[in-house]
Amino acid sequence: MGGKKKPRTRFICWNCGQAVPLKFSGQACPNCGALLTPAAYDARAQELAKQRVQVERELNRLQAQLDSATKKNTRWGIFKNFRFLPSRRAMDELLLQIQPLKQQIEDLSRKGRFASERYYASEWFRQSRRFLREDILDNREKSNSPFKMPYYDQSGVFHMAPDRGNAWKRGEYGEYVVFSLLSDAIDAGLLGHARLLWHLYVLVRQRLVMRRVATVESTDEIDIALLTTHGLYSIEVKSLYSSIEVRLDNCKDAYCVTATPVGRDGQLLTIGITIDMGVAQNTAHVRAMRTELDGLVAPQRIFNVTTYANQCGFEMHAPQGFRYAYVTTTSDFPENIVEVICRIEQRVAACWTNAEVDVLAERLAISYTDSDGSKRANHTKALSTAHPSVVDSSKFHKKRAHKLKTKAQPKYQSRKSQFIDEDVRDYLNGDYDD
C-alpha cells in the first residue's frame, strides 16, 4: 500500500526548486515569489542551455588538450606513469579541471529537467485539467492520454512528444497545439489583451433532419474561443494526417477543403481523399453563438476560424474572409493561425476595453465552459426526460400495431405518407412548438 503511486498535486518552482501546490499554476511561487508561467520556465531553460553550451565548449577544449597529452605520454612506454614526466603532469592537471566541468554539466542538465512543471504551469492545464500520462493513475484514462512526454531540447526549446494513435488522441492533441500557439502569442503581446477559453458548450435550437417544421433544443461545442479587444473568435480545430488544399466552391458558394492522406514515407496517397467539412461545422457554431449571445456581442464581431493542426502540407488557393470565414494552419505558412488573426486585428477596429474583455470572458466561462462534459451530460438527461426519443415511441407504436390484427400494414410506403408519419411522431414526441 505504501508503494502505490499518489495523484500529482504539486509541481516544482523553476527558481527555488521547491514543490508548490498546483493551485499556484500561473501565479507567484509562495516560497520565493517567482512567476510560475510557461514563459518563465522557457526563459530559465534557455538560460541553462546557454550556460551548458559554454561549459561544454570549455570541456571540449580541455578534452582535446588531454588527448594530446595522453598521446605524448604513451611514447614513454613502461615509464609513462612516472609523475615527473611533463606529459603526465599535464594529464593530471587537465583531469582536475575536467572533473568539475562534467559535474557542472550534470547539474545544469538536472536543473533543466522541469518540462513537466512547465506543462502544469500552462493555461491549457488550468482549463483542461488534462494530466500527463506519467501522472495518471487509471490505466484506461492513461491509455487515452495523448500527452506522452514533454521535454526541452539542447537549445532550451519546449516540446511535447505526443501519442496520436487514434482520432480522439489526434483531436485533443491538435486542440492542445492550437491553444498553446495562441497562449504563447498572447504572452508575447502579439494579440494585445486577450483571453482563451476551451470547450464552450452552447445550447441552440435547430431543425431536425428530415423534419419540415419541428425544432428541438440541441448543442454545439466550440473547441476554442479567443476573446480580444477586437472581437470573439470561434475556432474549430481539425487534426488530420493529410495534406490540406483550400479552394472556392462556386456551386456551394463556400470553401472546399480537400484532405489528401499522407503515407508513412511522407508521400501523398491517391486513395482516401476526402472533402473535410470543418468550415461548415464551424459556420454552424458561429450561428449558434450569434443566436445565444444576441444583444451581448454584435454578430459581425464573431469570427469563423477553422484551423488544421498538421505538418503534412497546406495550400490556400482562395482569399481569406470569404463569407466571413477563415481557414488557417498551425504550420509555418503564411496562413498560420496567429498570423491570420493578427491581420484581422489590424483590419478591424477595437470594440471592447481590456476590462470589458475580462468581464465577458468570465461570463462565458461561467455559462458555457464544459471541460469535464458535465453540462453536456445534464442537458442530454434533461432532453431525454422532457422529450421521449423517437426510437422509443416507434417501438411503442409498432408493438401496439402488432396487437391490433385488424389494422393492415402496407408493404410499401410513398414519400408523402412517410413524411406524414414522421410529423405525427414529432407531435407525439413533443417536438412541435405550440
Side-chain angles (χ1 to χ4, degrees):
M1 187 70 179
K4 188 176 181 180
K5 188 176 180 180
K6 297 181 180 179
R8 179 155 189 166
T9 58
R10 294 174 176 270
F11 69 113
I12 306 300
C13 171
W14 61 268
N15 186 44
C16 64
Q18 299 296 319
V20 297
L22 288 175
K23 67 179 181 180
F24 289 100
S25 173
Q27 304 179 24
C29 174
N31 300 316
C32 65
L35 196 60
L36 303 176
T37 61
Y41 280 91
D42 291 344
R44 180 57 175 166
Q46 293 171 10
E47 178 185 350
L48 293 175
K50 291 180 181 178
Q51 294 179 12
R52 178 173 176 172
V53 169
Q54 294 176 357
V55 175
E56 287 178 343
R57 187 180 296 117
E58 178 66 15
L59 177 62
N60 293 335
R61 186 183 67 82
L62 295 177
Q63 188 65 46
Q65 295 180 8
L66 178 62
D67 294 340
S68 178
T70 302
K71 186 176 181 180
K72 293 179 180 179
N73 184 253
T74 55
R75 297 174 182 176
W76 290 96
I78 60 174
F79 303 105
K80 64 181 180 181
N81 291 328
F82 287 116
R83 299 292 180 182
F84 61 82
L85 295 175
S87 58
R88 184 62 193 181
R89 288 200 305 268
M91 288 173 59
D92 294 340
E93 292 176 0
L94 290 170
L95 287 172
L96 290 175
Q97 298 178 48
I98 287 176
Q99 188 59 34
L101 293 180
K102 290 184 176 180
Q103 184 62 40
Q104 189 175 355
I105 291 176
E106 185 178 348
D107 293 340
L108 290 173
S109 300
R110 186 177 63 254
K111 291 180 180 179
R113 294 171 186 165
F114 42 63
S116 298
E117 276 64 33
R118 192 261 192 204
Y119 175 85
Y120 289 116
S122 64
E123 178 70 18
W124 162 265
F125 171 73
R126 290 194 293 275
Q127 291 201 31
S128 68
R129 308 305 293 182
R130 295 293 194 265
F131 284 84
L132 295 173
R133 177 180 292 185
E134 61 185 11
D135 298 320
I136 298 176
L137 303 182
D138 183 73
N139 291 331
R140 183 177 181 182
E141 184 180 353
K142 178 182 294 188
S143 63
N144 290 329
S145 173
F147 308 111
K148 190 175 180 180
M149 184 184 67
Y151 65 94
Y152 280 104
D153 61 17
Q154 296 295 326
S155 302
V157 179
F158 178 82
H159 299 276
M160 173 67 74
D163 176 10
R164 293 174 283 191
N166 54 45
W168 190 90
K169 292 179 182 179
R170 289 196 299 271
E172 184 160 277
Y173 179 72
E175 293 175 5
Y176 162 77
V177 170
V178 175
F179 194 99
S180 299
L181 281 176
L182 294 174
S183 181
D184 292 343
I186 293 173
D187 293 339
L190 299 178
L191 301 178
H193 186 78
R195 297 282 299 274
L196 278 171
L197 297 172
W198 182 68
H199 278 197
L200 265 65
Y201 177 75
V202 180
L203 306 182
V204 295
R205 295 189 65 82
Q206 300 175 332
R207 293 184 180 276
L208 289 174
V209 179
M210 299 290 292
R211 309 302 197 264
R212 294 169 299 172
V213 182
T215 59
V216 67
E217 199 173 33
S218 61
T219 60
D220 270 336
E221 185 179 72
I222 289 89
D223 292 337
I224 299 173
L226 171 67
L227 267 169
T228 70
T229 54
H230 295 74
L232 171 61
Y233 297 84
S234 172
I235 302 173
E236 173 68 20
V237 180
K238 307 296 288 186
S239 186
L240 306 175
Y241 197 69
S242 305
S243 176
I244 304 301
E245 186 177 5
V246 185
R247 298 182 182 274
L248 282 180
D249 189 338
N250 295 325
C251 296
K252 296 183 179 180
D253 197 24
Y255 285 120
C256 178
V257 181
T258 305
T260 304
V262 177
R264 294 183 178 180
D265 56 353
Q267 299 297 322
L268 298 180
L269 303 179
T270 57
I271 59 174
I273 300 176
T274 60
I275 302 299
D276 187 74
M277 302 303 295
V279 179
Q281 182 179 356
N282 202 33
T283 301
H285 294 169
V286 171
R287 188 183 305 113
M289 293 187 70
R290 287 173 177 170
T291 302
E292 185 71 12
L293 303 179
D294 185 29
L296 185 63
V297 180
Q300 65 273 18
R301 292 293 180 172
I302 301 179
F303 301 100
N304 178 351
V305 178
T306 303
T307 185
Y308 290 86
N310 71 327
Q311 300 289 335
C312 302
F314 184 89
E315 296 182 11
M316 188 75 181
H317 301 289
Q320 290 283 7
F322 182 73
R323 295 182 66 86
Y324 307 102
Y326 300 84
V327 187
T328 64
T329 178
T330 56
S331 305
D332 294 330
F333 289 96
E335 309 307 325
N336 179 274
I337 180 172
V338 176
E339 297 183 15
V340 171
I341 292 178
C342 286
R343 294 201 295 265
I344 297 174
E345 297 278 295
Q346 294 172 1
R347 190 180 70 252
V348 179
C351 58
W352 297 315
T353 63
N354 294 351
E356 290 173 338
V357 170
D358 292 335
V359 171
L360 182 57
E362 293 299 327
R363 181 168 179 175
L364 294 178
I366 294 174
S367 302
Y368 304 110
T369 53
D370 188 34
S371 60
D372 60 352
S374 59
K375 292 181 181 178
R376 175 189 290 275
N378 293 335
H379 183 65
T380 303
K381 183 178 179 180
L383 279 178
S384 62
T385 304
H387 304 287
S389 65
V390 175
V391 177
D392 294 340
S393 64
S394 62
K395 288 182 179 179
F396 172 78
H397 288 296
K398 285 181 180 179
K399 186 175 181 181
R400 183 179 178 184
H402 178 71
K403 290 183 177 180
L404 299 177
K405 303 279 187 179
T406 56
K407 185 174 181 180
Q409 297 293 333
K411 186 175 182 180
Y412 301 99
Q413 188 177 30
S414 65
R415 293 289 294 174
K416 182 176 180 180
S417 62
Q418 181 181 349
F419 281 125
I420 294 175
D421 289 347
E422 288 175 347
D423 288 342
V424 171
R425 286 201 300 271
D426 287 343
Y427 180 79
L428 295 174
N429 289 330
D431 288 341
Y432 275 95
D433 293 329
D434 294 334

